[in-house]
């Protein structure tokens, strides 16, 4: 059935049409490449490679224990759901939202700064290399919890029980049984983390300061400030080729045979409390500050003054559109983009899980600067509404693909074969068997895709024109206009919307398991 089908061409056509064709047009517009740009920016390139590797390593160190706790322990369901929700939010926060939480937590008078001071640490964290790493870990460790956790939860407990009968302890079972089964999803999460940290923009600018720059920052500078499109395109091409090379080496064979059972649940480990303590301090404290920033009055104290100021503000003067239009476009554009992304990646991830080599193509949207894509759309004169729909769908494809592919790999092929023998056609097979079995993967990807669109900023600010605006752009413009209390209030509204969306996932998950 897979061999005789050509549905797998759809994601290829979509990505070529949405990215490669505009890049070719941009290449013609820019007048070719300028390879001297690579030589001139060699130090910046080496720094980008180094910080992405260090960031991905520490992200993996924080993410894997979280994936184990979610997938393999008998932690209280309510606490587990809270952890899933809180650990999912950082990945989709826009840079301006994240910066509010980090400034509160790691600033001169921040809570974490004071706690570290009591332990004898007197240095500054903000505007250092360590701040960049912390920011990237904060943003990306949810990838490991979701992608690896979803796979870990499907490892058949019978093979682990069988290994115990054969005399294997849990450490040997992990090394020789679980780790080989988890390795593909670990590498996929590592690859996505590496790509997202390699193309980092907001985290580097906000937390690292002017001393640190990545290729993405340089592309933005060449495009928006220096108008040197040839150098920008050259760096963008280097970025694509480098990430494609990394993707090739991190792609390994998957093992599906033992990913269709119910996972073995173990007692919550002692080290889990230390893990929660570390996570709360360095991840959830900044996140909580960001969520509650709207209730923190500018002069001190806790209240709703910021929301009153937001309601009384003539917001159109600052964001160039009405509050209603901002809400409308914030949800409608990501909603359409999410549906497109799920359709495209459902096809791509299915055929990839069945042997088609689509991984290298699917990772391309994450390897290309959103600013570069956005600028190419401006040159092509695509209307802002449709341009943002295409951009949001494209930038969410890699993460949606990673989650959905993990779902496809957990399907028991024997169930599909039995249905085919009973005469089920492709439509029945999809609607009655496949999609119901991965419905939580689909729902998770929908929420991720929707919230990624809600939080996207760099491409949006490049493309959008009145009356189009979004939450992230509105928060950014309020902050730029020194309307800080109102920006905090709007930021809190945005984060509560995100919390509600991820809470819906956990509610439906827990309801299904009862």
């Amino acid at each position: 059935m897979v061999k005789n089908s050509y549905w797998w061409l759809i994601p290829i056509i979509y990505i070529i049409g949405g990215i490669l064709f505009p890049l070719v047009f941009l290449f013609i517009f820019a007048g070719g490449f300028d390879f001297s740009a690579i030589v001139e920016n060699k130090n910046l390139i080496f720094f980008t490679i180094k910080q992405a590797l260090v960031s991905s390593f520490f992200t993996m160190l924080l993410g894997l224990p979280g994936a184990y706790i979610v997938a393999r322990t008998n932690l209280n369901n309510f606490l587990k759901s809270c952890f899933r929700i809180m650990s999912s939010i950082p990945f989709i926060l826009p840079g301006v939202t994240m910066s509010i939480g980090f400034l509160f937590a790691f600033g001169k008078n921040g809570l974490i700064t004071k706690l570290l001071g009591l332990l004898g640490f007197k240095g500054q964290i903000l505007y250092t290399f360590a701040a960049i790493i912390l920011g990237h870990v904060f943003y990306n460790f949810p990838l490991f919890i979701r992608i690896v956790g979803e796979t870990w939860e499907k490892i058949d407990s019978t093979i682990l029980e069988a290994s115990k009968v054969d005399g294997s302890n849990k450490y040997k079972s992990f090394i020789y049984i679980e780790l080989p089964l988890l390795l593909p999803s670990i590498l996929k999460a590592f690859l996505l983390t590496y790509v997202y940290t390699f193309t980092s923009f907001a985290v580097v600018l906000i937390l690292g300061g002017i001393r640190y720059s990545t290729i993405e920052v340089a592309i933005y500078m060449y495009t928006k400030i220096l108008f040197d499109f040839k150098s920008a395109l050259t760096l963008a091409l280097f970025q694509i080729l480098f990430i494609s090379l990394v993707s090739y080496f991190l792609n390994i064979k998957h093992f599906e045979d033992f990913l269709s059972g119910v996972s073995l649940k173990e007692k919550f480990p002692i080290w889990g409390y230390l893990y929660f303590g570390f996570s709360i301090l360095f991840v959830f404290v900044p996140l909580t500050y960001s969520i509650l920033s709207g209730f923190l009055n500018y002069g001190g104290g806790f209240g709703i003054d910021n929301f009153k100021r937001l309601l009384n503000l003539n917001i159109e003067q600052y964001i160039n559109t009405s509050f209603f239009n901002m809400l409308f476009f914030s949800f409608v554009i990501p909603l359409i983009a999410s549906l497109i992304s799920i359709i495209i990646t459902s096809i791509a991830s299915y055929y990839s899980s069945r042997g088609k080599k689509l991984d290298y193509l699917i990772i391309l949207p994450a390897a290309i600067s959103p600013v570069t894509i956005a600028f190419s759309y401006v040159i092509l004169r695509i209307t802002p509404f449709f341009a943002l729909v295409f951009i949001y769908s494209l930038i969410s494809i890699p993460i949606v693909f990673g989650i959905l592919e993990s779902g496809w790999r957990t399907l028991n092929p024997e169930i599909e074969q039995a249905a085919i023998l009973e005469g089920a056609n492709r439509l029945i097979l999809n609607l009655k068997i496949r999609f119901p079995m991965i419905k939580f993967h689909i729902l998770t990807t929908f929420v991720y895709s929707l919230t990624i669109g809600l939080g996207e900023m760099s491409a949006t600010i490049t493309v959008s024109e009145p009356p189009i605006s979004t939450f992230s752009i509105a928060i950014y413009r309020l902050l730029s206009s020194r309307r800080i209390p109102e920006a905090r209030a709007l930021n809190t509204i945005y984060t509560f919307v995100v919390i509600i969306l991820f809470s819906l996932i956990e509610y439906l998950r827990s309801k299904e398991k009862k």
Side-chain angles (χ1 to χ4, degrees):
M1 180 174 287
V2 172
K3 292 181 180 179
N4 298 327
S5 174
Y6 293 96
W7 286 86
W8 57 272
L9 291 173
I10 293 177
I12 294 178
I13 294 170
Y14 188 77
I15 291 177
I16 288 176
I19 291 182
L20 297 185
F21 173 73
L23 281 181
V24 170
F25 188 87
L26 188 59
F27 170 79
I28 297 172
F29 176 83
F33 302 115
D34 182 10
F35 291 102
S36 63
I38 295 177
V39 177
E40 293 172 0
N41 291 280
K42 62 180 180 180
N43 291 333
L44 178 147
I45 291 172
F46 287 135
F47 172 76
T48 302
I49 295 171
K50 180 183 74 172
Q51 66 82 21
L53 185 61
V54 175
S55 296
S56 301
F57 176 75
F58 281 103
T59 301
M60 182 175 65
L61 287 185
L62 184 66
L64 287 181
Y68 171 81
I69 287 173
V70 166
R72 286 290 310 279
T73 70
N74 55 9
L75 177 66
N76 177 273
N77 288 332
F78 176 75
L79 293 177
K80 187 177 291 189
S81 294
C82 289
F83 180 71
R84 283 182 187 272
I85 294 168
M86 294 294 284
S87 63
S88 297
I89 295 172
F91 180 73
I92 46 76
L93 288 179
V96 289
T97 298
M98 177 272 296
S99 67
I100 292 173
F102 265 74
L103 289 172
F104 272 119
F106 294 98
K108 186 176 181 180
N109 297 313
L111 176 62
I112 296 178
T113 301
K114 291 179 179 179
L115 290 175
L116 292 176
L118 294 175
L119 297 175
F121 179 80
K122 302 299 182 183
Q124 178 178 309
I125 295 178
L126 286 180
Y127 314 121
T128 65
F129 181 72
I132 295 174
I133 304 303
L134 275 173
H136 285 157
V137 172
F138 172 85
Y139 259 120
N140 294 292
F141 88 102
L143 287 173
F144 282 88
I145 293 176
R146 285 291 176 180
I147 295 176
V148 180
E150 294 286 354
T151 302
W152 215 331
E153 208 163 19
K154 293 295 183 178
I155 293 179
D156 199 330
S157 60
T158 58
I159 63 171
L160 299 177
E161 295 288 359
S163 69
K164 288 183 180 180
V165 173
D166 291 336
S168 177
N169 58 38
K170 66 178 182 179
Y171 300 106
K172 287 185 178 180
S173 295
F174 173 76
I175 295 297
Y176 295 107
I177 298 176
E178 293 181 88
L179 186 58
L181 294 172
L182 291 172
L183 190 58
S185 61
I186 291 173
L187 289 180
K188 184 172 291 294
F190 187 91
L191 172 62
L192 285 172
T193 301
Y194 190 85
V195 169
Y196 285 124
T197 54
F198 192 93
T199 58
S200 180
F201 180 78
V203 170
V204 174
L205 282 182
I206 295 171
L207 299 183
I210 197 170
R211 292 170 51 197
Y212 302 98
S213 291
T214 59
I215 294 176
E216 187 81 351
V217 175
I219 291 172
Y220 177 84
M221 294 276 292
Y222 279 125
T223 303
K224 296 289 290 184
I225 299 175
L226 301 176
F227 301 105
D228 184 353
F229 306 122
K230 185 178 292 187
S231 295
L233 188 63
T234 301
L235 290 178
L237 178 65
F238 173 84
Q239 191 165 265
I240 295 170
L241 294 176
F242 184 85
I243 290 176
S244 298
L245 187 64
V246 172
S247 175
Y248 176 81
F249 285 108
L250 289 182
N251 183 57
I252 67 171
K253 183 180 181 297
H254 291 74
F255 303 90
E256 294 91 6
D257 296 341
F258 304 106
L259 296 178
S260 57
V262 178
S263 67
L264 180 68
K265 300 298 182 183
E266 298 177 343
K267 182 180 178 182
F268 186 78
I270 298 297
W271 58 262
Y273 296 102
L274 296 174
Y275 176 81
F276 274 140
F278 184 86
S279 299
I280 289 171
L281 184 62
F282 287 98
V283 177
F284 296 149
V285 166
L287 179 60
T288 302
Y289 267 127
S290 179
I291 294 171
L292 300 179
S293 61
F295 298 100
L296 301 175
N297 295 332
Y298 196 60
F302 197 81
I304 60 172
D305 290 348
N306 294 339
F307 296 95
K308 292 179 179 178
R309 296 180 65 155
L310 178 64
L311 290 174
N312 294 325
L313 180 70
N314 181 15
I315 197 169
E316 189 168 353
Q317 177 182 347
Y318 299 94
I319 67 174
N320 299 319
T321 191
S322 67
F323 192 80
F324 173 80
N325 280 338
M326 186 272 293
L327 288 177
F328 176 80
F329 289 112
S330 289
F331 286 101
V332 170
I333 296 176
L335 178 62
I336 298 172
S338 299
L339 295 176
I340 295 173
S341 178
I342 290 174
I343 292 171
I344 296 298
T345 50
S346 292
I347 298 170
S349 58
Y350 172 76
Y351 285 100
S352 176
S353 69
R354 268 48 176 183
K356 290 288 184 183
K357 297 293 184 180
L358 298 174
D359 303 59
Y360 315 121
L361 181 72
I362 296 300
I363 205 69
L364 278 181
I368 300 174
S369 162
V371 173
T372 303
I373 301 175
F375 183 71
S376 68
Y377 284 13
V378 171
I379 298 300
L380 287 168
R381 297 185 178 181
I382 299 176
T383 59
F385 183 91
F386 291 108
L388 290 176
V389 167
F390 287 133
I391 292 170
Y392 289 175
S393 65
L394 287 166
I395 63 176
S396 65
I397 278 177
I399 178 62
V400 172
F401 176 83
I403 296 173
L404 280 182
E405 190 186 34
S406 297
W408 285 120
R409 294 188 186 281
T410 62
L411 293 184
N412 188 338
E414 295 180 0
I415 297 177
E416 291 189 33
Q417 292 300 322
I420 293 172
L421 291 175
E422 292 291 332
N425 57 30
R426 185 189 300 275
L427 180 64
I428 297 298
L429 199 60
N430 286 329
L431 295 181
K432 299 293 185 179
I433 297 175
R434 289 171 177 165
F435 290 140
M437 293 179 70
I438 63 168
K439 59 185 176 183
F440 287 114
H441 291 81
I442 295 174
L443 178 61
T444 300
T445 56
F446 174 76
V447 173
Y448 265 101
S449 182
L450 181 66
T451 49
I452 286 172
L454 280 171
E456 205 289 323
M457 193 178 78
S458 58
T460 307
I461 203 169
T462 303
V463 170
S464 63
E465 298 175 355
I468 294 177
S469 185
T470 61
F471 271 112
S472 59
I473 298 303
I475 295 169
Y476 171 76
R477 285 176 174 158
L478 287 173
L479 285 173
S480 301
S481 303
R482 297 296 181 185
R483 308 300 305 200
I484 296 175
E486 293 87 347
R488 289 179 182 176
L490 189 59
N491 173 69
T492 294
I493 294 172
Y494 165 78
T495 50
F496 271 112
V497 169
V498 172
I499 290 172
I500 291 171
L501 289 171
F502 280 105
S503 297
L504 176 63
I505 295 177
E506 293 307 316
Y507 170 75
L508 294 176
R509 181 194 295 270
S510 61
K511 187 176 180 180
E512 177 70 15
K513 288 185 176 181
K514 287 182 180 179

